[in-house]
Amino acid sequence: MDSQPSRSSGRFESSPSTINNTPFLTKSISDASSSSPHSQSLASILNNPHAGKSDGFWWWSTSSSIPTPDFLPLSTLPKPGSETRVPDFQSYLSSISDAFARFHDIQQHARFESLEDQDDQNALVACLKEVPALYFKEDFELEDGATFKAACPFRTTAENLVTQEKLSQYLDVVELHLVREISLRSNSFFDAQGQLEDLNSKIVVGCDRIRELKETMKLLDDNLVGSARKVQELNVQRSELISHQDKLNLILYVNQALSTLKLLVASADCAGALDVIDDLQHLLDGDELAGLHCFRHVRDQLATSIDSINSILSAEFMRISIHGAGNVDALSTSKFKVQTTISMNGEGHEVKLDEEDTYNLRDRLLPFVIGLLRTAKLPAVLRIYRDTLTADMKTAIKMAVEELLRVLGAQPVDSDFVAGERAVDADGGSSSLASRLRSLSPECFVHLLKAVFLIVQAHLAQASEVKRAIEWILCHLDGHYAADSVAAAIALGAVASETAHETADQVNSSLQLSVQRNSAKVSSAHGNGIDGITPSTLSRNFRADVLRENAEALFAACDTAHGRWAKILGVRSPIHPRLRLQEFLNVYNITQEFITATEKIGGRLSYSIRGTLQSQAKAFIDFQHESRMAKMRAILDQENWAEIDVPDEFQAIVTSLFCSESEIRELADELSAHIAPSSPKMVLGSDGSPTAEARLQKISQNAEHTDSIPRLESTAQSNETNSRERGKSSTRLLFFGGVGYHMVNCGLILVKMLSECIEMNNRLPGLSSEVVHRVVEILKLFNTRTCQLVLGAGAMQVSGLKSITSKHLALASQVISFTYTIIPELKRILLLRVPETRKGLLILEVDRVAQDYKVHRDEIHSKLVQIMRERLLVHLRGLPQIVESWNRPENTDTQPSQFARSITKEVGLLQRVLSRTLHELDVQAIFRQVVIIFHSQISEAFSHLDISSPHAKKRMYCDVQHILACIRSLPSDSKSNPPNWGQLDEFVAKNFGEEVGQ
């Protein structure tokens, strides 16, 4: 308490009393002596009660460069508490005296041990310094030559003696130090030996007590526990015997189950066999059969049995699903052997199972479908069923075609395409199936298609019923006795299928793997599912997979039937374009019926057969168009532009195609005045309009009577002669819109071709755009070639005409006018079936053609006016000579001159021709221009004449009056009075005013 700070130690010095009374020191100096002063812990030094000045500055540097700090002297004032004495702490010291005493003993013991360790270390170091290190090696052996040589060199006898002396000295040193070490540790050794003897005595006492306890326990066992333990042992033995008996019963059950499984599989009882397999599989997946070596092959046996069951189920499913349609093939073939004519309205093509057969099919398929669902094999079996169904379809069609070809025979086709057929068959041989199909007539080929249609429909009807039966089993069994079985089978199959997909060991053996585990996992399927998928999701996915494969099987069968049908059509692709329209339509219509029926069954569209049919229809249109174009060119080149009577069939065509009901009634009245009583009349309905049946009959007759066109060509000249003899009243015109048109042969043929194109457009709606294009090309050809032949006078070279007369021009105008008139109605009819996206372009093309026809008609009318103008100019060139004769005195003739009589005669002839041929409006328009030309040209010519005598003036006045009288009689739409007033009238008023007044 009274210590002062010291400069040398840098810390407070404690008095001895303080040292002795410090109970909170925690570390001795011996602990700090093991390390350098500079590395000591601050706590150990501060807690050392024996620390003094000898310790020095533990934190102070020994360098002399650092000056020692100077401390100011303490104040002499008394410190607070300096009057405190040691007795004041007596109570504190007494409370810690025991703890301090223990601490002091521990400190002294630690110091003693540290001193002993230091002595031991010093002795060992001294020993190592005196004795060479060679003798302390672990591998020191004098037997080793190198070691012996290093230890005992034996150079001389003296050295040998010195070496022996050294070895003795080394031995004494070692013994001395060992004795010292033993003496240092003798107290501890004897203490340990004493404790060992005490322990030994205690062990002996413990063994005696254990012996006594054992004897006591033996007595207790004999007297109290023996009988109870015997009972327990007997119970354990009984339990083991019962377990062995249960195991033997299990072995017997498994053995009997395996035998029963073999019998069930042999008897094709698949449901019972699957139940046995489920039981055995449950035992295998559990622990009951674990360790039984006799059942190591049970899994393989179950897998073999499952394969056998799957084979049985698949075979029965195939037998019920496919082979039921075999009898229909034979019946269809035999039917067509006996009868080769079947109506084209689709009757007889309907093949459908009755209700009783449908129920029978469902009942027969139900157990096999349930079995395949339990084994998760139904999707795979449906894929096999799809392949088998398509192969069976191909085989049935091929056999039916071969059988029917023997019956129908190879009848020769028309001579139009015999050469083409030979060219196609040149590389394949005439005896091939394709060549035999090509050699069939169109009627026989249609009969063959009908038979194939019936066979295909029979197979598809059977496949459709199978599809509906499977759908009914999977989705519509509510309230049925097998509903629970189907639901359980779907759950088992879903789990098995999912397990097989997860393992993915063998795709082909997925059924075996799933069935081996389905029994053990069916409970988990009803609980948590697999990998977080709920059982309902698994079942729904499995059901969707089965339904998808079921639908794919039916669609594959339809697609195969389409492919076979398209192949049969493709064989006759060189022949079909050359068929007549009705023959091609028979093939086209039955193919459309086939497509509609099969797509309705399959539920999807098929594009292969549609593409084949579309390409053949386009080829047919192209071929027919080319033949029509060639025919039209030939007919136009042979046309003599003579008027002919219009046969009734052509009027029926125009009436049925272009006329409305009101126009038909008006036309009936007009025809009654123009058609001879002996000519056939149109069949009218109760309201006076032609019946639809009559229209169709006319169109059919027009389509079939193609050979009537040459007859019209050959009799054109005789018709022209007869029409001249009979006159206008006996000429039969072609009426449209209440207007009659004079026709020539090429005009009627154009009408027939247009009617065929319209019928083709109606029967082939998918190719309406192509038909419209072809009609436009035909109209362009007719218009262009007619212009070349008539206006361009080409008919004089190709037809042998001597000249192109006004009669020819008028008839050409009538034909062009009629065509121009029907083009709007033709456009309306043709564009009804054209898609809206293509109508705009086609309308422009048709309107452009109509404009070309209008321009052509106007050019013909202009040509007629030009002809009259040229004739006028020819006559005007001879007028000066006539006037010279007028000026002669001997000329006393008062009649019109030859000029006036000739020009009026020609104008009158033109008027009669045009009025008899052209419409009144056209005649008026033409003669309006003629009148203008006459007024201008004649008045101008007369104004330049030199009239020198009154007689000549009278003669001129007489000619002018004669010409004006002719002009007054010409048809015109002029509203003037007198009619057709013009320049010539003004000329007369100007030069002959007095004569006019008189």
Side-chain angles (χ1 to χ4, degrees):
M1 299 296 294
D2 298 332
S3 62
Q4 299 292 331
S6 175
R7 293 174 181 263
S8 61
S9 62
R11 57 178 294 179
F12 291 101
E13 293 182 358
S14 301
S15 62
S17 61
T18 305
I19 296 172
N20 295 330
N21 298 320
T22 305
F24 51 86
L25 297 177
T26 58
K27 194 168 181 67
S28 66
I29 190 66
S30 63
D31 296 329
S33 65
S34 62
S35 59
S36 63
H38 299 288
S39 62
Q40 290 177 349
S41 173
L42 178 62
S44 63
I45 294 176
L46 292 177
N47 293 331
N48 189 356
H50 300 285
K53 294 180 181 181
S54 61
D55 295 334
F57 291 103
W58 61 271
W59 66 83
W60 203 268
S61 173
T62 58
S63 176
S64 62
S65 61
I66 301 175
T68 305
D70 295 332
F71 295 94
L72 294 177
L74 296 176
S75 175
T76 58
L77 294 176
K79 297 179 180 178
S82 58
E83 66 275 7
T84 306
R85 297 292 181 263
V86 174
D88 297 335
F89 298 96
Q90 191 64 39
S91 61
Y92 170 73
L93 293 175
S94 62
S95 62
I96 66 171
S97 59
D98 295 337
F100 180 77
R102 287 195 302 271
F103 170 74
H104 185 69
D105 293 340
I106 294 172
Q107 191 177 27
Q108 292 297 328
H109 181 71
R111 183 183 294 111
F112 178 74
E113 288 182 353
S114 64
L115 291 176
E116 287 182 352
D117 293 339
Q118 186 175 4
D119 294 341
D120 293 342
Q121 183 178 6
N122 294 333
L124 180 62
V125 171
C127 182
L128 290 175
K129 287 180 179 180
E130 293 180 10
V131 180
L134 173 66
Y135 299 100
F136 292 99
K137 291 183 178 180
E138 295 181 359
D139 56 348
F140 177 79
E141 295 288 344
L142 285 176
E143 290 82 357
D144 186 12
T147 304
F148 183 81
K149 186 176 181 181
C152 304
F154 293 107
R155 297 176 182 176
T156 62
T157 305
E159 291 179 354
N160 186 14
L161 294 174
V162 172
T163 302
Q164 292 179 4
E165 186 67 23
K166 285 183 179 181
L167 291 175
S168 300
Q169 184 180 356
Y170 293 157
L171 180 61
D172 294 339
V173 171
V174 172
E175 289 178 352
L176 176 63
H177 286 290
L178 289 175
V179 170
R180 184 178 178 182
E181 292 296 327
I182 292 171
S183 64
L184 291 175
R185 293 171 172 80
S186 61
N187 294 331
S188 299
F189 174 77
F190 289 114
D191 291 340
Q193 186 176 6
Q195 292 176 1
L196 184 62
E197 290 178 356
D198 293 339
L199 179 63
N200 190 19
S201 62
K202 292 180 179 180
I203 290 173
V204 172
V205 174
C207 290
D208 293 338
R209 294 186 63 183
I210 290 172
R211 189 179 301 107
E212 293 175 357
L213 289 174
K214 285 184 178 182
E215 292 177 355
T216 304
M217 291 178 64
K218 183 178 181 182
L219 293 175
L220 292 175
D221 286 340
D222 294 338
N223 298 328
L224 299 177
V225 186
S227 59
R229 188 178 61 186
K230 183 66 174 179
V231 171
Q232 184 181 5
E233 291 176 356
L234 292 176
N235 285 330
V236 170
Q237 184 178 4
R238 178 177 178 275
S239 299
E240 292 177 354
L241 291 177
I242 292 175
S243 176
H244 290 164
Q245 183 181 10
D246 293 340
K247 188 68 69 175
L248 291 176
N249 291 331
L250 179 62
I251 293 174
L252 178 62
Y253 170 76
V254 172
N255 189 23
Q256 291 177 351
L258 291 175
S259 302
T260 305
L261 179 61
K262 293 181 180 179
L263 294 176
L264 292 175
V265 172
S267 61
D269 187 358
C270 298
L274 288 175
D275 292 337
V276 174
I277 290 176
D278 289 341
D279 295 339
L280 293 176
Q281 189 64 48
H282 181 69
L283 293 175
L284 288 174
D285 293 335
D287 298 332
E288 290 84 352
L289 299 181
L292 294 178
H293 187 69
C294 59
F295 292 143
R296 63 186 182 277
H297 299 303
V298 172
R299 292 187 183 274
D300 297 334
Q301 294 176 6
L302 293 182
T304 304
S305 300
I306 290 172
D307 292 338
S308 301
I309 292 172
N310 288 330
S311 300
I312 295 172
L313 292 173
S314 301
E316 289 298 321
F317 182 85
M318 295 297 175
R319 183 183 63 81
I320 297 172
S321 301
I322 292 180
H323 301 296
N327 297 329
V328 181
D329 298 344
L331 292 175
S332 301
T333 305
S334 61
K335 177 180 178 181
F336 276 89
K337 287 181 182 179
V338 176
Q339 180 183 359
T340 59
T341 303
I342 292 183
S343 60
M344 284 295 296
N345 57 5
E347 297 178 359
H349 291 167
E350 187 69 22
V351 178
K352 187 177 181 181
L353 298 179
D354 55 15
E355 187 175 358
E356 183 179 358
D357 294 337
T358 302
Y359 289 148
N360 291 335
L361 179 64
R362 291 178 180 178
D363 293 338
R364 293 171 64 191
L365 284 176
L366 180 59
F368 302 106
V369 171
I370 292 176
L372 292 172
L373 285 174
R374 290 178 63 180
T375 59
K377 190 68 175 178
L378 187 56
V381 171
L382 286 175
R383 287 190 286 270
I384 299 173
Y385 165 68
R386 178 186 61 193
D387 298 336
T388 308
L389 183 61
T390 54
D392 186 69
M393 180 77 72
K394 293 178 182 179
T395 304
I397 293 175
K398 182 177 181 180
M399 293 178 62
V401 170
E402 292 178 350
E403 186 67 21
L404 290 171
L405 282 176
R406 298 191 191 99
V407 178
L408 296 174
Q411 300 179 6
V413 294
D414 295 341
S415 59
D416 295 339
F417 45 83
V418 169
E421 179 191 350
R422 290 176 180 175
V424 173
D425 293 340
D427 57 344
S430 59
S431 61
S432 64
L433 187 63
S435 63
R436 292 167 63 190
L437 282 172
R438 281 190 288 268
S439 64
L440 288 177
S441 64
E443 294 79 7
C444 293
F445 181 69
V446 171
H447 293 323
L448 185 141
L449 290 180
K450 292 177 186 177
V452 173
F453 190 178
L454 189 61
I455 292 172
V456 168
Q457 210 167 26
H459 284 264
L460 293 183
Q462 177 74 11
S464 177
E465 289 299 331
V466 172
K467 173 178 175 291
R468 283 196 290 267
I470 294 176
E471 292 176 349
W472 175 78
I473 293 172
L474 291 177
C475 305
H476 305 289
L477 268 182
D478 297 337
H480 195 269
Y481 69 92
D484 296 336
S485 300
V486 172
I490 292 176
L492 287 172
V495 175
S497 178
E498 184 67 21
T499 304
H501 285 302
E502 285 183 354
T503 55
D505 293 334
Q506 292 181 355
V507 176
N508 294 332
S509 62
S510 61
L511 173 63
Q512 174 183 346
L513 294 174
S514 60
V515 172
Q516 288 176 355
R517 300 175 60 184
N518 59 7
S519 298
K521 292 194 174 183
V522 65
S523 59
S524 63
H526 290 285
N528 298 326
I530 297 178
D531 294 339
I533 303 177
T534 60
S536 60
T537 303
L538 289 177
S539 300
R540 186 164 53 253
N541 294 339
F542 181 68
R543 182 186 286 107
D545 188 19
V546 173
L547 293 176
R548 182 176 62 254
E549 294 294 341
N550 188 25
E552 286 294 332
L554 183 58
F555 177 71
C558 293
D559 193 58
T560 301
H562 290 166
R564 295 291 98 180
W565 190 283
K567 187 174 182 180
I568 293 174
L569 291 181
V571 169
R572 288 177 61 89
S573 58
I575 298 174
H576 287 166
R578 291 187 287 270
L579 297 178
R580 288 189 287 269
L581 177 60
Q582 191 58 44
E583 293 173 346
F584 181 79
L585 287 177
N586 291 338
V587 178
Y588 184 87
N589 291 336
I590 193 173
T591 304
Q592 286 288 3
E593 292 178 10
F594 177 79
I595 294 173
T596 303
T598 51
E599 287 181 349
K600 182 179 179 181
I601 295 174
R604 298 184 192 174
L605 294 178
S606 177
Y607 298 99
S608 60
I609 187 172
R610 290 180 182 274
T612 301
L613 184 62
Q614 196 79 354
S615 63
Q616 291 201 5
K618 189 176 183 301
F620 173 77
I621 291 176
D622 292 339
F623 181 83
Q624 296 296 323
H625 175 68
E626 294 299 330
S627 63
R628 288 191 183 96
M629 295 285 283
K631 188 174 184 178
M632 180 58 71
R633 293 189 186 95
I635 290 174
L636 286 172
D637 290 342
Q638 297 175 7
E639 181 62 59
N640 54 12
W641 299 100
E643 182 179 3
I644 62 174
D645 290 339
V646 178
D648 295 339
E649 59 180 285
F650 292 94
Q651 184 61 63
I653 291 174
V654 175
T655 303
S656 60
L657 293 179
F658 303 113
C659 295
S660 62
E661 299 296 332
S662 59
E663 292 174 346
I664 290 174
R665 286 193 293 269
E666 295 176 1
L667 181 62
D669 298 335
E670 295 178 5
L671 288 176
S672 62
H674 289 83
I675 299 177
S678 60
S679 60
K681 296 183 179 180
M682 188 183 305
V683 180
L684 302 178
S686 59
D687 55 353
S689 61
T691 60
E693 183 177 348
R695 292 189 186 187
L696 295 176
Q697 183 178 1
K698 289 295 183 182
I699 296 174
S700 301
Q701 291 175 358
N702 298 335
E704 296 173 358
H705 295 165
T706 310
D707 53 352
S708 63
I709 303 302
R711 177 181 59 80
L712 294 173
E713 300 171 8
S714 62
T715 59
Q717 188 64 36
S718 61
N719 284 337
E720 181 183 14
T721 305
N722 296 334
S723 63
R724 289 175 182 174
E725 295 175 356
R726 293 194 300 268
K728 178 179 179 181
S729 60
S730 61
T731 303
R732 297 168 60 182
L733 306 181
L734 184 61
F735 287 90
F736 174 74
V739 181
Y741 294 88
H742 297 264
M743 297 301 293
V744 295
N745 186 45
C746 62
L748 295 180
I749 294 176
L750 177 63
V751 170
K752 179 176 265 312
M753 287 185 178
L754 293 177
S755 69
E756 292 174 353
C757 291
I758 291 175
E759 185 178 5
M760 191 182 301
N761 181 74
N762 295 333
R763 299 293 187 90
L764 303 175
L767 296 173
S768 294
S769 301
E770 300 293 334
V771 174
V772 174
H773 279 296
R774 304 307 185 270
V775 170
V776 170
E777 292 180 6
I778 292 174
L779 291 175
K780 287 182 179 179
L781 172 67
F782 185 82
N783 186 48
T784 304
R785 191 56 180 161
T786 301
C787 182
Q788 295 172 354
L789 293 174
V790 180
L791 286 178
M796 297 175 63
Q797 286 78 27
V798 297
S799 301
L801 295 179
K802 296 180 180 180
S803 63
I804 304 299
T805 64
S806 59
K807 179 69 173 177
H808 297 153
L809 291 172
L811 289 173
S813 174
Q814 281 282 278
V815 176
I816 296 298
S817 298
F818 171 78
T819 308
Y820 173 72
T821 305
I822 66 173
I823 282 178
E825 190 67 19
L826 184 66
K827 177 178 68 175
R828 182 187 65 80
I829 295 173
L830 292 177
L831 295 180
L832 286 176
R833 302 178 184 273
V834 176
E836 293 294 334
T837 55
R838 303 195 63 182
K839 276 188 178 181
L841 181 61
L842 295 178
I843 289 174
L844 291 177
E845 292 187 8
V846 176
D847 292 342
R848 192 178 299 115
V849 172
Q851 183 64 27
D852 294 341
Y853 271 83
K854 183 177 182 299
V855 171
H856 187 188
R857 184 192 63 183
D858 295 340
E859 289 178 354
I860 293 176
H861 294 173
S862 300
K863 183 66 175 179
L864 291 171
V865 175
Q866 183 183 358
I867 290 174
M868 202 64 243
R869 183 175 181 276
E870 292 175 356
R871 294 305 303 164
L872 176 62
L873 293 177
V874 170
H875 290 293
L876 287 176
R877 283 195 292 268
L879 185 59
Q881 298 177 0
I882 296 175
V883 172
E884 290 180 2
S885 65
W886 288 348
N887 291 327
R888 297 172 186 170
E890 66 274 9
N891 190 347
T892 60
D893 189 5
T894 60
Q895 297 296 325
S897 65
Q898 182 64 32
F899 162 75
R901 291 195 303 268
S902 298
I903 194 63
T904 54
K905 181 180 178 181
E906 291 182 4
V907 170
L909 179 61
L910 180 63
Q911 177 187 359
R912 289 191 300 271
V913 172
L914 296 185
S915 299
R916 184 182 303 170
T917 306
L918 296 181
H919 299 150
E920 183 178 358
L921 295 178
D922 295 336
V923 175
Q924 291 177 359
I926 292 172
F927 279 102
R928 181 175 65 252
Q929 299 181 37
V930 171
V931 168
I932 294 173
I933 293 173
F934 270 41
H935 276 293
S936 61
Q937 295 292 335
I938 295 175
S939 61
E940 183 181 0
F942 280 170
S943 63
H944 291 87
L945 293 178
D946 185 15
I947 305 299
S948 59
S949 62
H951 179 71
K953 189 175 182 180
K954 291 181 181 180
R955 294 295 301 273
M956 179 186 292
Y957 179 73
C958 182
D959 283 359
V960 170
Q961 290 297 329
H962 185 74
I963 293 172
L964 284 175
C966 178
I967 290 176
R968 299 282 189 271
S969 64
L970 293 179
S972 176
D973 55 357
S974 176
K975 305 298 182 182
S976 61
N977 189 16
N980 297 327
W981 176 272
Q983 296 180 8
L984 191 57
D985 292 290
E986 296 175 357
F987 175 79
V988 171
K990 180 179 179 181
N991 294 284
F992 303 100
E994 298 178 357
E995 288 81 354
V996 172
Q998 293 176 0

